[in-house]
């Protein structure tokens, strides 16, 4: 029987080394990205068991979570962070793993540098000890986050023990309204299905809207799949994908390139493929989004209001809402645009690529940040993004407006370095998680697009970028 | 990995949905390069009234008396019960490490974050899925009876309640096998080393660009 297969099925089937009767599969891993936070215990385990790295050049390492975003010539001041970064350097040197060190211009957030270097290629399986590995699925590969024991497993065996997820299609149709980005699409989608809505699924994003998105916008969309509960998100390969990959340092060249492209063209779901769940989104109805609570599903459109728990019938949901409002210091029914922010963060693996910085700069040019803004940070996703932005003069636009222009890394997305919110401080942030304490103990995070964050910095509160000027 | 067969223990109720891994073990503790020692900082931001740091002594820190873990009746609890989407968020395996280091052997919830769920099995810490209704029953009983205990029987795949009820749960046979026997799955995988090598050789022929001597 001839079956129409989905992109996910194709990627899965082409990497299955061995399957047990219960469906447990040994999956071959083509690319393994490594960072300093989730790898030390894995290297340690390897050593204790006297095992070697299975295929050294499948690995690429970078330090991103702990690194300072200010002057790096003095090294890392915090001794605990320094030890973790030094441990990565030592482990990579010991095993001969390619690492972009802290002062390498190619250094950056692991999910930014993978695609940027062509280390992420269509058709691959790619894993990393980090949940936002779903980002790389934008290049028609199967990419997902793993834990430290699995990092050790991949290092030692080049495989993972995995079980197949169900297929979900998110079909997005229609042109994106002006001022609305793929970040808004993603938040609106999560608001619709909830943070557990994608649990147990691999998501494929498709439809005319997705086809029209740039590669970087696609990465933002796939990045947030994990916030919808799905371990992987992916998008079929097309001209946009192939043009993006062409000429990147790790990408194939010459006759090998043509050979690869022929294969990559097959990386899409067959017409008529069956999905276990289909979600339809009409892009024309999506507005700029702002989260109001402590989970990404707690989100409304910028022209909306903070919801009222009294109107929620389900008791456990109501309690969750009340707890979130208390933590966030918000009143029910307050207009979103009345919320004033203290700090603005433009960065993270969700929104720190060149297009994100351009989108933000467009709202900043020739203006000044509002007087209530204590800190406005721009943290490019990689050294190369930073260099390109400087070539285009974006750094001047930000600096002239009162923003700080920093060195690449995770920064205030999770505040493992010095970039954090103080207790009670409120941010407009282009990152992906608004959990309690995520950006610092007691921090209050509102997730938004780069355009929305930039405009909030200038206005001092949230504004609707579709009409604000 | 510690074996898991039959375990009886006091139940601690965490009546919240979407408990994320940032809450289970906040980021400042991820700077450790060890697998152990996370227990004292489990749920740090909810458990203490001040802000914890990796180099800070935990004894003597002001406790949030309202938080379940600090209530005397749940002292020594080894089974956690929670609401939907427990362990969502980041991939940090430090979350199940911290739960296990504190003394928990299992967590029961209606659904879990996928990566947390997978990580837990590697730690010998058992995540169990029961329905909302079954959990409601356990939450009520736990509130009604101080010192409420459950028995988890992994070989039989049951959660046994003191009132004689037993709830069945599902688990992949392979995961169960590894847990009941305390097996390290890298060792198990390496039994297939020849198959992996053969797969790799074939792949190298078909997609040589994945194996190139790439940029460095
Ligand atoms: S930018 Fe934030 S979400 Fe992305 S990898 Fe870094 S810490 Fe994780």
């Amino acid at each position: 029987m001839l079956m129409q297969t989905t992109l996910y099925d194709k990627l899965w089937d082409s990497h299955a080394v061995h399957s047990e009767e219960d469906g447990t599969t040994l999956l071959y891993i083509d690319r393994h990205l490594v960072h300093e936070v989730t790898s030390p215990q894995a290297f340690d385990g390897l050593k204790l068991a006297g095992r070697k790295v299975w295929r050294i050049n499948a690995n690429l390492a970078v330090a991103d979570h702990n690194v300072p975003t200010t002057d790096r010539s003095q090294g890392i001041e915090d001794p605990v962070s320094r030890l973790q970064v030094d441990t990565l350097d030592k482990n990579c040197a010991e095993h001969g793993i390619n690492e972009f060190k802290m002062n390498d211009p190619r250094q950056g957030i692991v999910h930014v540098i993978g695609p940027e270097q062509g280390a992420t290629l269509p058709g691959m399986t790619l894993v990393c000890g980090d949940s936002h590995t779903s980002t790389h699925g934008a290049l028609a590969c199967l990419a997902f986050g793993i834990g430290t024991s699995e990092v050790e497993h991949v290092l030692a065996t080049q495989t993972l023990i995995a079980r197949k997820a169900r297929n979900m299609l998110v079909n997005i149709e229609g042109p994106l309204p002006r001022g609305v980005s793929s970040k808004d699409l993603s938040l609106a989608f999560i608001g619709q299905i909830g943070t557990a809505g994608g649990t147990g699924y691999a998501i494929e994003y498709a439809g005319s809207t997705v086809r029209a998105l740039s590669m970087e916008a696609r990465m933002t969309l796939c990045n947030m799949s994990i916030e919808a509960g799905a371990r992987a998100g992916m998008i079929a390969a097309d001209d946009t994908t192939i043009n993006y990959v062409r000429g990147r340092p790790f990408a194939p060249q010459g006759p090998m390139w043509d050979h690869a492209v022929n294969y990559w063209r097959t990386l899409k779901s067959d017409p008529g493929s069956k999905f276990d769940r289909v979600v339809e989104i009409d892009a024309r109805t999506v507005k700029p989004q702002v989260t109001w609570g402590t989970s990404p599903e707690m989100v409304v459109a910028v022209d909306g209001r903070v919801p009222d728990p009294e109107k929620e019938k389900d008791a456990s949901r109501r309690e969750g809402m009340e707890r979130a409002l208390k933590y966030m210091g918000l009143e029910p029914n307050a207009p979103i645009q009345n919320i004033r922010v203290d700090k603005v963060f433009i960065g993270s693996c969700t929104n720190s690529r060149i297009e994100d910085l351009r989108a933000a700069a467009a709202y900043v040019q020739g203006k000044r940040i509002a007087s209530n803004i204590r800190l406005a940070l721009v943290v490019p996703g990689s050294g190369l993004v930073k260099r390109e932005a400087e070539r285009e003069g974006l750094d001047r636009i930000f600096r002239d407006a009162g923003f700080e222009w920093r060195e690449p890394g995770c920064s205030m997305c999770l505040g493992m370095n010095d970039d954090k919110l103080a207790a009670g401080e409120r941010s407009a942030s282009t990152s992906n998680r608004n959990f309690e304490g995520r950006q610092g103990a007691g921090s209050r995070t509102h997730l938004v697009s780069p355009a929305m964050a930039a405009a909030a910095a200038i206005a001092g509160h949230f504004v609707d970028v579709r009409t604000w000027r | 990995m510690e074996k898991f067969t039959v375990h009886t223990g006091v139940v601690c109720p965490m009546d919240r949905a979407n408990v994320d891994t940032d809450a289970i073990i906040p980021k400042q503790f991820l700077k450790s390069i060890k697998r152990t020692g996370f227990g004292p900082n489990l749920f740090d931001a909810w458990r203490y009234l001040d802000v914890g740091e990796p180099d800070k002594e935990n004894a003597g820190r002001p406790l949030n008396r309202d938080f379940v873990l600090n209530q005397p009746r749940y002292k020594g609890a080894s089974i956690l019960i929670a609401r939907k989407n427990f362990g969502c968020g980041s991939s940090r395996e430090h979350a199940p490490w911290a739960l296990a280091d504190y003394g928990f052997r299992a967590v029961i919830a209606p659904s879990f974050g996928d990566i947390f769920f997978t990580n837990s099995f590697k730690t010998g810490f058992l995540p169990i899925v029961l329905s909302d209704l079954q959990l409601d029953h356990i939450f009520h009983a736990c509130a009604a009876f101080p010192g409420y205990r459950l028995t988890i029987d992994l070989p039989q795949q049951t959660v046994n309640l003191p009132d004689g009820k037993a709830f069945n749960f599902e688990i992949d046979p392979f995961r169960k096998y590894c847990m009941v026997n305390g097996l390290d799955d890298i060792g198990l995988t390496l039994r297939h080393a020849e198959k992996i090598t053969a797969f790799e050789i074939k792949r190298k022929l078909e997609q040589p660009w994945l194996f190139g001597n790439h940029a460095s």
Side-chain angles (χ1 to χ4, degrees), chain A residues 65 111 130 132 348-349 410 413-414 432 438:
Chain A
H65 283 64
H111 309 308
D130 192 280
H132 290 97
S348 90
C349 57
C410 293
C413 173
L414 92 166
N432 42 54
R438 172 76 179 183

Side-chain angles (χ1 to χ4, degrees), chain B residues 106-126:
Chain B
V107 53
I108 312 175
S111 60
F112 290 95
D114 274 342
I115 307 180
F116 174 84
F117 192 72
T118 309
N119 286 343
S120 295
F121 290 103
K122 319 271 175 184
T123 312
F125 170 76
L126 183 63

Side-chain angles (χ1 to χ4, degrees), chain A residues 11-139:
Chain A
L11 292 168
W12 179 276
D13 293 346
S14 61
H15 289 86
V17 174
H18 172 85
S19 293
E20 302 282 345
E21 256 170 52
D22 70 350
T24 306
T25 301
L26 203 56
L27 208 61
Y28 187 79
I29 302 302
D30 294 313
R31 172 73 69 210
H32 182 209
L33 301 175
V34 180
H35 69 84
E36 80 275 23
V37 180
T38 54
S39 67
Q41 296 88 347
F43 281 110
D44 225 30
L46 211 60
K47 191 180 239 169
L48 278 176
R51 290 176 176 134
K52 284 215 226 0
V53 176
W54 181 283
R55 181 157 76 82
I56 292 161
N57 77 357
N59 299 281
L60 176 64
V62 70
D64 55 1
H65 283 64
N66 269 302
V67 297
T69 57
T70 45
D71 180 20
R72 288 180 180 168
S73 57
Q74 304 304 312
I76 304 175
E77 203 180 316
D78 174 9
V80 202
S81 291
R82 190 171 60 228
L83 175 64
Q84 206 166 48
V85 174
D86 287 349
T87 305
L88 180 69
D89 292 350
K90 189 175 85 17
N91 284 327
C92 288
E94 206 167 293
H95 294 278
I97 290 172
N98 194 358
E99 184 198 3
F100 296 167
K101 295 228 172 105
M102 194 169 77
N103 290 315
D104 189 312
R106 299 168 298 177
Q107 182 269 345
I109 305 171
V110 65
H111 309 308
V112 174
I113 68 157
E116 184 174 79
Q117 291 293 323
T120 308
L121 292 174
M124 276 183 164
T125 43
L126 181 151
V127 296
C128 171
D130 192 280
S131 60
H132 290 97
T133 307
S134 58
T135 313
H136 308 258
L139 286 100

